[in-house]
Amino acid sequence: MTSRYKSYVAIEDLESHIGETVTLNGWVYDKTEKGKLIFIKLRDGSGTVQCVLFKPNVSEEIAAAAGSLSQESSVSITGTVRSEQRSPTGVELDVTDVRVWQVSKDYPITPKEHGVEFLMEHRHLWLRSARQHAIMRVRSAVVKAIRDFFDGNGFRLMDSPIFTPNACEGTSTLFETEYFDLGKAYLTQSGQLYAEASAMALGKVYTFGPTFRAEKSKTRRHLTEFWMVEPEMAYFDLNDDMDLAEDLVEYIVQYVLKTCQRELATLGRDISKLEAVRRPFYRMSYTEAVEWLNKNEIKLNRKQADGSEIQIDFPWGEDFGAPQEEAIMQQFDKPCIIHRYPTEVKAFYMKRDPENVKTVLAMDMLAPEGAGEIIGGSQREDDHDQLLERILHENLPQEAFQWYLDLRKFGSVPHSGFGLGVERTVKWITGAEHIREVIPFPRMIYRIVP
Amino acid sequence: MTSRYKSYVAIEDLESHIGETVTLNGWVYDKTEKGKLIFIKLRDGSGTVQCVLFKPNVSEEIAAAAGSLSQESSVSITGTVRSEQRSPTGVELDVTDVRVWQVSKDYPITPKEHGVEFLMEHRHLWLRSARQHAIMRVRSAVVKAIRDFFDGNGFRLMDSPIFTPNACEGTSTLFETEYFDLGKAYLTQSGQLYAEASAMALGKVYTFGPTFRAEKSKTRRHLTEFWMVEPEMAYFDLNDDMDLAEDLVEYIVQYVLKTCQRELATLGRDISKLEAVRRPFYRMSYTEAVEWLNKNEIKLNRKQADGSEIQIDFPWGEDFGAPQEEAIMQQFDKPCIIHRYPTEVKAFYMKRDPENVKTVLAMDMLAPEGAGEIIGGSQREDDHDQLLERILHENLPQEAFQWYLDLRKFGSVPHSGFGLGVERTVKWITGAEHIREVIPFPRMIYRIVP
């Protein structure tokens, strides 16, 4: 029993149907008439193809139907697939029949320039534009690459919960909701703590879901709702963690290069920059990075008590901001991992470096071309008493972390993990200007519609 | 450059290392001593293997270390892999070295029976038990099967947003949160409306994420946070939709049968029941189902004004509840799709059946063995005026649906989709008793920890 839907031919598969008569189902991207010819650029979501209607070949009704088509009209077009080397898709369709589903009137997004606010208001339609369409297909490929990588390397998906009972790191950047008679629940900012419990049960796991931050940031890198994949591995130390992170990012970029050639071309992406993303990446310790900044006289602006600003050498112990990260990455054509950050600027669950207790076994991966941090990770503190000390030192509620401390009581093992931000990765790979373009329906401090 | 982590050997891969000396990293599941022999059942998340230590073969220190191991102690064990047909995994390990990471004291979950509340409180540890471990691995396989199915059939992932601005179907079952200066945001109950917009841009899409329902249901089938995959296809009618749903469910079940034999054995699942899940499934219209109920005298309990209950014939127009669904499914050894439900019991966006305007082109798939509904879907209303009429009829805020109505103005096409609940599917396939067991950290009306 073959389903009717299986007989549908997608534009992206047309090259394997040369010489055949097929029916395509899609929307009009563009239409021009020239004497007895009507050229219809048809998109169906999988690709775009030029359909050529020669009026003497069809009835008057069909020619009239084709002539009525406007931008974004929905239409099924039947015709013969012909090889055409001048076409970007390698084929064209010689039209024999046209079935109009709806003639679209006054489609709001025309080929002229539109303001960002207007486009965001019309995000449900903007997604049909060639550039947005290409970004979405790359996004889909990035997620598939991530999952294939982990599924193919012995990892199991373990979904961390979205509702969390505790405001682990303060409530200021958390979204909260009433939860029946149990008080407030908070939307997760990271599935890591749960992933650690899962790793003790399943060895190598990843959690992959939306995460939430109620940050009042209006930068081009911030969303309130974004997707993050977080692998967590029992018996992995920091070096294993960094190796895995490099393997993952190399795999993602090479997968996109292999499967999204048309999309990258549509986006005008410089392919050579992506082709360079091959292991090994660069690595330096935080301390080396600070030395490099100061050797190269990349100063830090510091406000004085009187409000004036002075420029100072970058002080060891301070966290890097975008200016430092960008300066460091200027010299690199592929990602760089910075590791072993000062304890004070990193989270309580990171393991102290046994060789320098002022630092923790943390690592961040920065992407080139100004893309910034795409990965943050660490080896986790596996010693019960050390972890408890850090929890108390940061005035966190011990009771709420009892289950997390349990993991250090019952068969504690060295373990590590990291989080990779999907949107930041897609932004980097596609070269998109703003993070709002790399998720279907972006949520930002000032936007929640459509 | 080979990473250290790549040299780790997983227990599930041991059969390809027979005769080799390997180091396994894991936890003690069980230990017994018998004269000069110590038998350690080691689990590493990928599987379980028996490690045999013959004391005369190792130093006294190593023998003592092995002797100290308790349940859930963390340990690296080195030894030679030996073929052993009596073992469920086909191999055993002859131990040459033991490195103890932590001796676990008073592990709370012992082989004796524990109450459900106790186990739920210790969910972070309970996941290590053989049965929970097996369910989680099947869950991971189910999700992988779903994604492979869609990715392999020309679908693109298009994540629908979690934050939605409108309470589309009333606020009573919605979780809400303050959203900066924009008022309230609601957590999504379904990504469908957004998936429809995405399908008009990319043709065939699926959205796959957590969804939320603040329902005060305490049944064995309800969670407040659960995962749902929702495909949406342009140019698919109801028949295409049902065909696709059957293909998907057959694929999932056969994939689990192929890849999770050990897990299904651990769970004591009757494999023959799953092997029967082959297309075509059963199908009947709602009207046929009502006739069947009445012919078979499956009565409906109805409360009278005075509080007493009487049994009546099932009236056409009433929605099915669990008793009706279970009665219908008694006769079937594989899933059954019920289609064309009364308009009044279904959502506003479903397309009227042109052959009977009292019904809509909806379909639900019920799974056998009392598993209940695992899929709900429909062909969507693609006519602008019909849809608007339904929106007004249900007193929904027209303004909030303007973008959704746009999809019917600018190149509207016939389109369909459905949602498959991950947890209900995993519950069915694993035969788990309660839905709380099929998600790593379940969230229910009375539970949000750990």
Side-chain angles (χ1 to χ4, degrees), chain A residues 260-312:
Chain A
C260 298
Q261 291 180 4
R262 271 183 205 157
E263 287 77 7
L264 294 171
T266 298
L267 295 167
R269 186 71 171 98
D270 182 349
I271 300 292
S272 69
K273 294 254 164 60
L274 297 176
E275 283 169 342
V277 181
R278 286 286 187 185
R279 287 199 66 186
F281 297 169
Y282 298 98
R283 291 186 190 181
M284 57 168 78
S285 70
Y286 166 88
T287 300
E288 288 165 344
V290 170
E291 283 163 8
W292 184 90
L293 286 170
N294 289 331
K295 207 177 77 190
N296 289 275
E297 304 199 342
I298 314 281
K299 300 287 183 180
L300 183 70
N301 291 328
R302 169 132 305 168
K303 250 199 182 116
Q304 298 289 99
D306 65 2
S308 66
E309 268 197 356
I310 56 162
Q311 293 208 312
I312 60 167

Coordinates of all heavy atoms in Angstrom, one line a residue, chain A residues 260-312:
Chain A
C260 N 24.5 21.6 3.0 CA 23.8 22.8 2.9 C 24.6 23.8 1.9 O 24.6 25.0 2.1 CB 23.7 23.5 4.2 SG 22.7 22.6 5.4
Q261 N 25.1 23.2 0.8 CA 25.8 24.0 -0.1 C 25.0 25.1 -0.7 O 25.4 26.3 -0.8 CB 26.4 23.2 -1.3 CG 27.5 22.2 -0.8 CD 28.1 21.4 -1.9 OE1 27.7 21.5 -3.1 NE2 29.0 20.5 -1.6
R262 N 23.8 24.8 -1.1 CA 22.9 25.8 -1.8 C 22.5 26.9 -0.8 O 22.5 28.0 -1.1 CB 21.6 25.1 -2.3 CG 21.7 24.6 -3.7 CD 20.4 24.0 -4.2 NE 20.8 23.0 -5.3 CZ 20.1 22.0 -5.7 NH1 18.9 21.8 -5.1 NH2 20.5 21.2 -6.6
E263 N 22.2 26.4 0.5 CA 21.8 27.4 1.5 C 23.0 28.4 1.8 O 22.8 29.6 1.9 CB 21.4 26.7 2.8 CG 20.1 26.0 2.7 CD 20.1 24.6 1.9 OE1 21.3 24.2 1.6 OE2 19.1 24.0 1.7
L264 N 24.2 27.9 1.9 CA 25.3 28.7 2.2 C 25.6 29.7 1.0 O 26.0 30.8 1.2 CB 26.6 27.9 2.5 CG 26.5 27.0 3.8 CD1 27.7 26.1 3.9 CD2 26.4 27.9 5.0
A265 N 25.3 29.2 -0.2 CA 25.5 30.0 -1.4 C 24.4 31.2 -1.4 O 24.7 32.3 -1.6 CB 25.4 29.2 -2.7
T266 N 23.2 30.8 -1.1 CA 22.1 31.8 -0.9 C 22.5 32.9 0.1 O 22.2 34.1 -0.1 CB 20.8 31.1 -0.5 OG1 20.4 30.2 -1.5 CG2 19.7 32.2 -0.3
L267 N 23.2 32.4 1.1 CA 23.5 33.4 2.2 C 24.8 34.1 1.9 O 25.2 35.0 2.6 CB 23.7 32.6 3.5 CG 22.4 32.0 4.0 CD1 22.8 31.0 5.2 CD2 21.5 33.0 4.5
G268 N 25.5 33.8 0.8 CA 26.7 34.4 0.4 C 27.8 34.2 1.4 O 28.7 35.0 1.6
R269 N 27.8 33.0 2.1 CA 28.7 32.7 3.1 C 30.1 32.4 2.5 O 30.2 31.6 1.5 CB 28.2 31.5 3.9 CG 29.1 31.2 5.1 CD 28.9 32.2 6.2 NE 29.5 31.8 7.5 CZ 30.8 32.2 7.9 NH1 31.5 33.0 7.1 NH2 31.2 31.8 9.1
D270 N 31.2 32.9 3.1 CA 32.5 32.6 2.7 C 32.9 31.2 3.1 O 33.2 30.9 4.3 CB 33.5 33.6 3.2 CG 34.9 33.3 2.8 OD1 35.2 32.3 2.2 OD2 35.8 34.2 3.0
I271 N 32.7 30.2 2.2 CA 32.9 28.8 2.5 C 34.3 28.5 3.1 O 34.5 27.6 4.0 CB 32.7 28.0 1.3 CG1 31.3 28.2 0.7 CG2 32.9 26.5 1.6 CD1 30.2 27.6 1.6
S272 N 35.3 29.2 2.6 CA 36.7 28.9 3.0 C 36.9 29.1 4.5 O 37.6 28.3 5.1 CB 37.7 29.8 2.2 OG 37.5 31.1 2.7
K273 N 36.1 30.0 5.1 CA 36.2 30.2 6.5 C 35.7 29.0 7.3 O 36.2 28.7 8.4 CB 35.4 31.5 6.9 CG 35.9 32.8 6.3 CD 36.6 33.6 7.4 CE 37.5 34.7 6.9 NZ 36.8 35.7 6.1
L274 N 34.7 28.4 6.7 CA 34.2 27.2 7.4 C 35.0 25.9 7.1 O 35.2 25.1 8.0 CB 32.7 26.9 7.0 CG 31.7 28.0 7.3 CD1 30.4 27.7 6.7 CD2 31.6 28.2 8.8
E275 N 35.6 25.9 5.9 CA 36.4 24.7 5.6 C 37.6 24.7 6.5 O 38.2 23.6 6.8 CB 36.8 24.8 4.1 CG 35.7 24.4 3.2 CD 36.0 24.7 1.7 OE1 36.9 25.5 1.5 OE2 35.3 24.1 0.9
A276 N 38.0 25.8 7.0 CA 39.2 25.8 7.9 C 39.0 25.3 9.3 O 39.9 25.0 10.1 CB 39.7 27.3 8.1
V277 N 37.7 25.0 9.6 CA 37.3 24.6 11.0 C 37.6 23.1 11.1 O 36.7 22.2 11.0 CB 35.9 24.9 11.3 CG1 35.5 24.5 12.7 CG2 35.7 26.4 11.2
R278 N 38.9 22.8 11.3 CA 39.3 21.4 11.4 C 40.1 21.3 12.7 O 40.9 22.2 13.1 CB 40.2 21.0 10.2 CG 39.5 20.8 8.9 CD 38.8 19.5 9.0 NE 38.2 19.2 7.7 CZ 37.4 18.1 7.5 NH1 37.1 17.3 8.5 NH2 36.9 17.8 6.3
R279 N 40.0 20.1 13.4 CA 40.8 19.9 14.6 C 42.3 19.8 14.2 O 42.6 19.3 13.1 CB 40.4 18.6 15.2 CG 39.1 18.7 15.9 CD 39.0 17.5 16.9 NE 40.0 17.7 17.9 CZ 40.2 16.8 18.9 NH1 39.6 15.7 18.9 NH2 41.1 17.0 19.8
P280 N 43.2 20.1 15.1 CA 43.0 20.6 16.4 C 42.7 22.1 16.4 O 43.2 22.8 15.5 CB 44.3 20.4 17.2 CG 45.3 20.4 16.1 CD 44.6 19.8 14.9
F281 N 41.8 22.6 17.3 CA 41.5 24.0 17.4 C 42.7 24.6 18.3 O 43.6 23.9 18.7 CB 40.2 24.3 18.1 CG 39.0 23.8 17.3 CD1 37.7 23.7 17.9 CD2 39.1 23.3 16.0 CE1 36.6 23.3 17.2 CE2 38.0 22.9 15.3 CZ 36.8 22.9 15.9
Y282 N 42.6 25.9 18.5 CA 43.5 26.5 19.4 C 43.1 26.4 20.9 O 41.9 26.2 21.2 CB 43.7 28.0 19.0 CG 44.2 28.2 17.6 CD1 43.3 28.5 16.6 CD2 45.5 28.1 17.3 CE1 43.7 28.6 15.3 CE2 46.0 28.2 16.0 CZ 45.0 28.5 15.0 OH 45.5 28.6 13.7
R283 N 44.1 26.4 21.7 CA 43.8 26.4 23.2 C 44.8 27.3 23.9 O 45.9 27.4 23.6 CB 44.0 25.0 23.7 CG 42.9 24.0 23.2 CD 43.0 22.6 23.9 NE 42.2 21.7 23.2 CZ 42.0 20.4 23.6 NH1 42.7 19.9 24.6 NH2 41.2 19.6 22.9
M284 N 44.3 28.0 24.9 CA 45.1 28.7 25.8 C 44.5 28.8 27.2 O 43.2 28.8 27.2 CB 45.5 30.1 25.3 CG 44.3 31.0 25.0 SD 44.9 32.7 24.7 CE 45.5 32.6 23.0
S285 N 45.3 28.9 28.2 CA 44.7 29.0 29.5 C 44.3 30.5 29.7 O 44.7 31.4 29.0 CB 45.7 28.7 30.6 OG 46.7 29.6 30.7
Y286 N 43.4 30.7 30.6 CA 43.0 32.1 30.9 C 44.2 32.9 31.3 O 44.3 34.1 30.8 CB 42.0 32.0 32.1 CG 41.8 33.4 32.8 CD1 40.8 34.2 32.3 CD2 42.5 33.8 33.8 CE1 40.6 35.5 32.9 CE2 42.3 35.0 34.4 CZ 41.3 35.9 34.0 OH 41.1 37.1 34.5
T287 N 45.1 32.3 32.0 CA 46.3 33.1 32.4 C 47.1 33.5 31.2 O 47.6 34.6 31.1 CB 47.1 32.3 33.4 OG1 46.3 32.0 34.6 CG2 48.4 33.0 33.9
E288 N 47.3 32.6 30.3 CA 48.0 32.9 29.0 C 47.2 34.0 28.2 O 47.9 34.9 27.6 CB 48.1 31.6 28.1 CG 49.1 30.6 28.7 CD 49.0 29.3 28.0 OE1 48.0 29.0 27.4 OE2 49.9 28.5 28.1
A289 N 45.9 33.9 28.3 CA 45.1 34.9 27.5 C 45.3 36.3 28.1 O 45.5 37.3 27.4 CB 43.7 34.5 27.5
V290 N 45.4 36.4 29.5 CA 45.6 37.6 30.1 C 47.0 38.2 29.8 O 47.1 39.4 29.4 CB 45.5 37.5 31.7 CG1 45.9 38.8 32.4 CG2 44.0 37.2 32.0
E291 N 48.0 37.3 29.8 CA 49.3 37.7 29.4 C 49.3 38.3 27.9 O 50.0 39.3 27.7 CB 50.3 36.6 29.5 CG 50.7 36.3 31.0 CD 51.3 34.9 31.2 OE1 51.6 34.2 30.1 OE2 51.5 34.5 32.3
W292 N 48.6 37.6 27.1 CA 48.6 38.0 25.7 C 47.9 39.4 25.5 O 48.4 40.2 24.8 CB 47.8 36.9 24.8 CG 47.8 37.2 23.4 CD1 48.7 36.8 22.5 CD2 46.9 38.1 22.7 NE1 48.4 37.3 21.2 CE2 47.3 38.1 21.3 CE3 45.7 38.8 23.0 CZ2 46.6 38.8 20.3 CZ3 45.0 39.5 22.1 CH2 45.5 39.5 20.7
L293 N 46.9 39.6 26.3 CA 46.2 40.9 26.2 C 47.1 42.0 26.6 O 47.2 43.0 26.0 CB 44.9 40.9 27.1 CG 43.7 40.1 26.7 CD1 42.7 40.0 27.8 CD2 43.1 40.7 25.4
N294 N 47.8 41.7 27.7 CA 48.7 42.8 28.3 C 49.9 43.0 27.4 O 50.4 44.1 27.2 CB 49.0 42.5 29.7 CG 47.8 42.7 30.6 OD1 46.9 43.5 30.3 ND2 47.7 41.9 31.7
K295 N 50.4 41.9 26.8 CA 51.6 42.0 25.9 C 51.2 42.9 24.7 O 52.0 43.6 24.2 CB 52.1 40.7 25.5 CG 53.5 40.6 25.1 CD 54.0 39.2 24.8 CE 53.5 38.8 23.4 NZ 53.7 37.4 23.1
N296 N 49.9 42.7 24.3 CA 49.5 43.4 23.1 C 48.7 44.7 23.4 O 48.1 45.3 22.5 CB 48.6 42.5 22.2 CG 49.4 41.4 21.6 OD1 50.0 41.5 20.5 ND2 49.5 40.2 22.2
E297 N 48.9 45.1 24.7 CA 48.3 46.4 25.1 C 46.8 46.5 24.8 O 46.4 47.6 24.3 CB 49.1 47.5 24.5 CG 50.6 47.3 24.9 CD 51.4 48.6 24.8 OE1 50.9 49.5 24.1 OE2 52.5 48.7 25.5
I298 N 46.1 45.4 25.0 CA 44.6 45.5 24.9 C 44.1 45.9 26.3 O 44.1 45.1 27.2 CB 44.0 44.2 24.5 CG1 44.7 43.5 23.3 CG2 42.5 44.3 24.2 CD1 44.5 44.0 22.0
K299 N 43.8 47.2 26.4 CA 43.5 47.7 27.8 C 42.1 47.5 28.2 O 41.2 47.3 27.3 CB 43.8 49.3 27.8 CG 45.3 49.6 27.4 CD 46.2 49.2 28.6 CE 47.6 49.6 28.3 NZ 48.5 49.3 29.4
L300 N 41.8 47.6 29.4 CA 40.5 47.5 30.0 C 40.0 48.9 30.4 O 40.8 49.6 31.0 CB 40.5 46.6 31.2 CG 39.1 46.3 31.8 CD1 38.3 45.4 30.9 CD2 39.3 45.6 33.2
N301 N 38.8 49.3 30.0 CA 38.3 50.6 30.4 C 37.7 50.4 31.8 O 36.9 49.5 32.1 CB 37.1 51.0 29.5 CG 37.7 51.4 28.2 OD1 38.8 51.9 28.0 ND2 36.9 51.2 27.1
R302 N 38.2 51.2 32.7 CA 37.7 51.1 34.1 C 37.2 52.4 34.6 O 37.9 53.5 34.5 CB 38.8 50.6 35.0 CG 38.5 50.6 36.5 CD 38.7 49.4 37.2 NE 38.1 48.2 36.7 CZ 38.4 46.9 37.2 NH1 39.4 46.8 38.1 NH2 37.8 45.9 36.7
K303 N 36.0 52.4 35.2 CA 35.4 53.6 35.7 C 36.0 54.0 37.1 O 36.2 53.1 37.9 CB 33.9 53.4 35.9 CG 33.1 54.3 34.9 CD 31.6 54.5 35.3 CE 30.9 55.3 34.2 NZ 29.9 54.5 33.6
Q304 N 36.3 55.2 37.2 CA 36.9 55.7 38.5 C 35.7 56.2 39.4 O 34.6 56.4 39.0 CB 37.8 56.9 38.2 CG 39.0 56.6 37.4 CD 40.0 55.7 38.1 OE1 40.0 54.5 38.0 NE2 40.8 56.3 39.0
A305 N 36.1 56.4 40.7 CA 35.1 56.9 41.6 C 34.5 58.2 41.2 O 33.3 58.4 41.4 CB 35.8 57.1 43.0
D306 N 35.2 59.0 40.5 CA 34.7 60.3 40.1 C 33.9 60.2 38.7 O 33.5 61.2 38.2 CB 35.8 61.4 40.0 CG 36.8 61.0 38.9 OD1 36.6 60.0 38.2 OD2 37.8 61.8 38.7
G307 N 33.7 59.0 38.2 CA 33.0 58.8 37.0 C 33.8 58.8 35.7 O 33.3 58.4 34.7
S308 N 35.0 59.3 35.8 CA 35.9 59.3 34.6 C 36.4 57.9 34.3 O 36.3 57.0 35.2 CB 37.1 60.2 34.9 OG 37.9 59.7 35.9
E309 N 36.8 57.6 33.1 CA 37.3 56.3 32.8 C 38.8 56.4 32.5 O 39.3 57.3 31.9 CB 36.6 55.9 31.5 CG 35.4 55.1 31.7 CD 34.9 54.3 30.5 OE1 35.5 54.4 29.4 OE2 33.9 53.5 30.7
I310 N 39.5 55.3 33.0 CA 40.9 55.2 32.6 C 41.1 53.9 32.0 O 40.3 52.9 32.1 CB 41.8 55.4 33.9 CG1 41.4 54.3 34.9 CG2 41.8 56.8 34.4 CD1 42.5 54.1 36.0
Q311 N 42.2 53.7 31.3 CA 42.6 52.5 30.7 C 43.7 51.8 31.5 O 44.7 52.4 31.8 CB 43.1 52.7 29.3 CG 42.0 53.3 28.4 CD 42.2 52.9 26.9 OE1 43.3 53.1 26.4 NE2 41.2 52.4 26.3
I312 N 43.4 50.5 31.9 CA 44.3 49.8 32.7 C 44.7 48.5 32.0 O 44.0 48.0 31.1 CB 43.8 49.5 34.1 CG1 42.5 48.7 34.0 CG2 43.5 50.8 34.9 CD1 42.0 48.1 35.3

